[in-house]
Amino acid sequence: MGAGSSLFLSNEELGKKDDDHKPTKLPPIRSSHWNAARAPPRKSVKRLLVAFAVGAAIYLFIKNIPTDVGIHDRRRPVYTPHNLDDDLRKPQPMPKLKPVEPVQPPKKPAKKPAKTKSLADDTAPDSPYNGPVVFPSLAVSLQAIYSTRGGYADNKNVLFAASSLKSAAALLPLACEMGAELTSYVHFALMSKSEILVDELLNVNGIDDSCKIIFHDARPSLSASSTATRLKTGVVRAMFHINSYMHPQVVLIDGSETEESYFLDAMRAQSSEIPFNLIELPTNGLKRLNWISKLDSSALSAWNKVSIDILIHAPPDGAGNLIRLLKSLSAADYTACAIPHLIIELPNKVDPHTENFLENFQWPPAGIRNPTGTRQLTLRHRITRNSMTEEESSVRLLESFWPVDPRYSHVLVLSPQAQLSPRFFHYLKYSVLQYSLSGTAAYQEWDSRLLGISLDLPSTYLNGSTTFSPPAPVKKGTEEPSSPHSQSSTPFLWQAPNSNAVLYMGQKWIELHDFVSRLLYMQHNTATTPSPAFFTDKAVSKRYPSWLEHVLKLSRARGYWTVYPSKFMAKSLAVVHNELSSSPEEYKSEELPEGPADVTENSLASGPLLDSLPDADFTTAFNDMPLLLWDGTDTTLNTLDDEAAKYTARFRDAVGGCDVLDPDELLPIPKSTRDLFCSKGG
């Protein structure tokens, strides 16, 4: 036995022969330092098995996870209608405006949801509830209005909102009247803590399926037992969701003490935060402002932007006229807007009666809400003692006002002989919104022609000697007048301006400034002495102030017109007294011819504006109104344009120098008249 074999034998085998032990082949040695391999520990094997099992479970779970269940975020309700994103990406047809085609509200669901006993759970808590805000009924109605283009910022949606049931009862009839006009999509959102059934609320207020409004139940769950803080949060959250799906152009609420304070606070805060246009209808304002239902969403969105200044040029004598006018201004109803700024131009020598009256005159009038206590009265006293010339009188009046925002800022020029109705301001506010800021006005570009809005019906033509006769209504086919006062109940458009009681649009006032500035400069610096007869000849009687001649020239050159009320409407707006009339200061030294003797003065009517007036006075479009040239001749729009082109050519010939200008330099420019004066710029 070799040495290698004896190493693996035990003591008992030492005595055996080597033949009993056959040699065994050993594995080859890899190196001289080889060590035997260790078996894997049992713990490592277990870990590998556990990891494999967990991985297999995760794989099976992911492979079989359901794919037809939407994500449900429990923190805040998010209402996403089916394929809404695709619908919003596709341009929806815009609701057509009158007179093209009336707006139709979205179709109601074929089957109404079953009535519930209460919005609260059967296990409503006895103590005030302040839990998460959830809206059980809001999602359904919001998902149904995607056809109103609520996903876009520019649409035709108008929202009425209320919390108090009394406020809801007052707003619902107004919302129905607006819906009947078919010019906007009218919505009503209830954010009350009351658990009254929606159908019951509508039935109590006489609202049926004929009322074209879209109702939204925006009350949170458990509203009756909720704290004021939770209810206020509910209003904030509801407006967030409503704005996301509706983007209302304006929100109308009851701003009186009838409405809940938490609701008013939340709506006012959200109107600045979101933001949106908010109209707060004051106490009894729903009856006095019933004409608001005639306005569309575009006009209502500018409700808080419109501002009006009042300008009065006081004469050296005739204190009684001025005092009567100021008293009528103080008695007027300014519910429709913020109190206007009042500017009174005083002569060098003020009448003692006028001076005493102004010492105690309050503006804004007592009783009108004025939280800041700001005085809106400006008195301008003239320094020069001499009587004013035509040029000085015109310049002084025009320099008394300049619009802050020409699109929304306008001036009401009043003669001291005028006396205003308590509701004159309602008519002005409606007319400005309807004729310059409504969707129809924008589509047909009414504001490009509109020079002013008159409150009175002139008694004479501009020559001051011929009695004025209002035009007859425009007949449509074989249509005959259908009411006793239809002959006198039609507003009309006249190229002739007015100085008794007329609102001048801000953009046209700026253009008038530029026109008078260039005209006076030309007259003082022209090489021709005297000025051409074209600029000195008068078409306006000296019974009217001198600045009216400049307005007429601009109106004839541009083809502008002024809206005049019907005879029936004029009785509800203003009256001009002629018994104490006096000549303008610049013509005091001249003997003027007597006016017509058959002029009669009307008495002012009273009562709500819309209730006592024919519907035609509010709904007549410009293209349905009679149109007169400056001299009172009936005309058409094409003829008016032709006459304006002829007058412009004569004006430029009198100025001279236009033949060297390019045709593009003779095109009218907004708020400028340099093309009339053949000026290259400046």
Side-chain angles (χ1 to χ4, degrees):
M1 182 178 65
S5 301
S6 62
L7 292 175
F8 298 95
L9 295 177
S10 62
N11 294 333
E12 297 177 355
E13 293 175 322
L14 291 176
K16 295 183 178 180
K17 297 181 178 179
D18 292 338
D19 296 337
D20 297 333
H21 300 279
K22 296 181 178 179
T24 303
K25 290 184 178 181
L26 298 175
I29 299 173
R30 296 182 180 179
S31 66
S32 58
H33 302 286
W34 172 85
N35 293 321
R38 297 182 180 179
R42 294 183 177 181
K43 292 184 178 180
S44 299
V45 174
K46 290 182 179 180
R47 290 174 181 172
L48 290 174
L49 293 175
V50 171
F52 178 80
V54 172
I58 294 175
Y59 169 79
L60 293 175
F61 175 80
I62 294 176
K63 183 177 180 180
N64 295 280
I65 192 169
T67 59
D68 57 347
V69 179
I71 299 174
H72 180 58
D73 188 353
R74 297 181 179 273
R75 296 171 300 171
R76 178 179 295 174
V78 180
Y79 311 123
T80 306
H82 182 63
N83 291 335
L84 179 60
D85 293 338
D86 294 337
D87 291 335
L88 292 181
R89 281 193 288 267
K90 299 177 182 178
Q92 298 291 334
M94 192 70 173
K96 299 245 179 122
L97 300 174
K98 293 196 325 184
V100 181
E101 182 178 336
V103 167
Q104 295 293 342
K107 294 182 179 179
K108 298 181 180 180
K111 184 178 180 180
K112 295 184 178 180
K115 296 182 180 180
T116 56
K117 216 172 189 183
S118 171
L119 290 176
D121 297 331
D122 293 336
T123 58
D126 296 332
S127 58
Y129 180 63
N130 197 29
V133 176
V134 180
F135 302 99
S137 306
L138 185 58
V140 176
S141 60
L142 289 180
Q143 291 173 0
I145 66 170
Y146 67 90
S147 62
T148 67
R149 292 178 59 91
Y152 296 88
D154 186 14
N155 55 60
K156 305 299 294 180
N157 291 320
V158 174
L159 174 65
F160 288 80
S163 175
S164 166
L165 295 184
K166 291 183 178 179
S167 297
L171 289 173
L172 279 169
L174 184 62
C176 284
E177 291 177 10
M178 186 178 295
E181 296 296 323
L182 298 179
T183 58
S184 305
Y185 292 114
V186 182
H187 305 257
F188 195 100
L190 182 64
M191 304 179 185
S192 175
K193 61 182 177 182
S194 171
E195 295 180 351
I196 185 174
L197 295 174
V198 171
D199 288 346
E200 182 180 350
L201 174 65
L202 299 178
N203 292 334
V204 168
N205 292 281
I207 308 300
D208 53 23
D209 292 338
S210 64
C211 181
K212 301 183 185 303
I213 63 174
I214 306 168
F215 201 89
H216 303 273
D217 189 346
R219 292 175 289 184
S221 60
L222 303 174
S223 58
S225 57
S226 297
T227 62
T229 301
R230 184 174 184 266
L231 291 172
K232 183 176 181 179
T233 303
V235 174
V236 172
R237 297 279 181 84
M239 283 308 304
F240 171 80
H241 295 301
I242 289 174
N243 186 72
S244 299
Y245 281 85
M246 187 189 303
H247 285 93
Q249 303 301 289
V250 63
V251 179
L252 296 96
I253 63 174
D254 179 9
S256 68
E257 297 179 353
T258 304
E259 190 53 275
E260 301 288 351
S261 58
Y262 72 83
F263 174 80
L264 294 176
D265 293 341
M267 293 297 287
R268 290 164 182 165
Q270 287 300 101
S271 66
S272 301
E273 181 70 19
I274 289 178
F276 55 81
N277 299 301
L278 180 65
I279 298 179
E280 296 187 40
L281 300 175
T283 304
N284 296 327
L286 298 174
K287 294 182 179 179
R288 291 178 291 174
L289 298 179
N290 51 0
W291 48 265
I292 201 174
S293 62
K294 301 291 183 180
L295 298 171
D296 65 12
S297 59
S298 298
L300 290 172
S301 65
W303 180 274
N304 297 319
K305 300 176 183 178
V306 174
S307 66
I308 296 175
D309 286 23
I310 299 177
L311 178 58
I312 303 173
H313 196 164
D317 52 10
N321 285 335
L322 179 62
I323 293 174
R324 178 178 54 203
L325 172 60
L326 294 178
K327 286 182 177 180
S328 68
L329 283 173
S330 297
D333 181 8
Y334 300 99
T335 306
C337 192
I339 191 73
H341 188 83
L342 177 60
I343 306 168
I344 303 177
E345 291 281 351
L346 297 173
N348 175 264
K349 186 177 180 180
V350 183
D351 186 282
H353 295 88
T354 301
E355 190 173 1
N356 293 335
F357 180 81
L358 291 176
E359 288 179 357
N360 300 313
F361 181 67
Q362 295 185 28
W363 192 265
I368 293 183
R369 186 174 179 271
N370 184 25
T372 60
T374 305
R375 285 182 60 84
Q376 299 279 16
L377 174 64
T378 298
L379 300 178
R380 297 186 62 193
H381 180 257
R382 193 171 84 237
I383 295 178
T384 57
R385 290 178 173 268
N386 299 331
S387 297
M388 290 191 297
T389 63
E390 291 182 349
E391 178 179 321
E392 292 171 343
S393 177
S394 300
V395 170
R396 184 169 178 82
L397 181 121
L398 292 176
E399 288 181 345
S400 300
F401 170 76
W402 184 259
V404 176
D405 187 339
R407 179 169 172 78
Y408 301 107
S409 182
H410 317 291
V411 59
L412 173 63
V413 180
L414 296 175
S415 166
Q417 279 92 343
Q419 181 183 1
L420 302 178
S421 162
R423 51 189 176 174
F424 85 93
F425 205 71
H426 290 229
Y427 174 78
L428 279 183
K429 184 67 175 285
Y430 170 83
S431 298
V432 169
L433 294 174
Q434 176 66 16
Y435 294 137
S436 68
L437 297 169
S438 66
T440 306
Y443 179 75
Q444 300 183 2
E445 298 181 345
W446 288 352
D447 59 330
S448 64
R449 298 270 190 172
L450 183 58
L451 173 68
I453 300 169
S454 178
L455 293 176
D456 84 306
L457 195 62
S459 57
T460 65
Y461 292 93
L462 289 179
N463 58 21
S465 58
T466 308
T467 303
F468 176 73
S469 299
V474 175
K475 292 184 179 181
K476 300 179 180 179
T478 58
E479 180 181 355
E480 297 293 335
S482 58
S483 60
H485 56 264
S486 61
Q487 180 69 18
S488 60
S489 64
T490 301
F492 60 95
L493 307 173
W494 193 7
Q495 197 177 21
N498 189 7
S499 62
N500 293 328
V502 60
L503 178 85
Y504 284 101
M505 311 306 290
Q507 292 175 327
K508 303 304 184 291
W509 190 265
I510 291 179
E511 191 173 356
L512 180 61
H513 266 244
D514 185 76
F515 178 81
V516 174
S517 173
R518 293 178 185 275
L519 183 61
L520 295 180
Y521 180 83
M522 186 198 67
Q523 290 177 344
H524 286 291
N525 295 276
T526 182
T528 304
T529 304
S531 299
F534 181 81
F535 299 114
T536 57
D537 291 344
K538 283 188 169 295
V540 179
S541 170
K542 292 184 178 180
R543 299 176 60 86
Y544 298 99
S546 58
W547 58 267
L548 197 63
E549 186 77 37
H550 299 307
V551 184
L552 177 61
K553 283 183 169 65
L554 178 63
S555 181
R556 292 182 66 183
R558 295 302 198 203
Y560 293 156
W561 56 52
T562 299
V563 179
Y564 285 87
S566 66
K567 188 175 182 180
F568 193 81
M569 171 73 88
K571 296 178 181 180
S572 302
L573 301 177
V575 62
V576 178
H577 299 276
N578 297 312
E579 72 277 7
L580 298 177
S581 62
S582 58
S583 302
E585 183 180 355
E586 57 268 34
Y587 303 127
K588 282 289 185 182
S589 60
E590 302 183 27
E591 185 176 351
L592 303 180
E594 294 290 334
D598 57 346
V599 175
T600 57
E601 294 182 3
N602 297 321
S603 57
L604 291 174
S606 59
L609 188 62
L610 186 60
D611 294 347
S612 59
L613 296 175
D615 188 64
D617 282 355
F618 282 91
T619 60
T620 306
F622 277 1
N623 55 333
D624 293 329
M625 294 184 186
L627 178 60
L628 306 179
L629 289 175
W630 70 275
D631 58 0
T633 305
D634 290 334
T635 188
T636 62
L637 183 59
N638 291 334
T639 304
L640 178 69
D641 289 339
D642 292 341
E643 292 297 321
K646 294 177 183 178
Y647 186 85
T648 298
R650 293 171 52 203
F651 192 99
R652 289 171 177 169
D653 289 341
V655 171
C658 289
D659 53 342
V660 299
L661 299 181
D662 296 332
D664 293 343
E665 295 175 321
L666 295 178
L667 295 177
I669 303 172
K671 297 182 290 187
S672 175
T673 58
R674 73 183 189 185
D675 62 293
L676 295 176
F677 292 88
C678 307
S679 175
K680 281 183 173 293

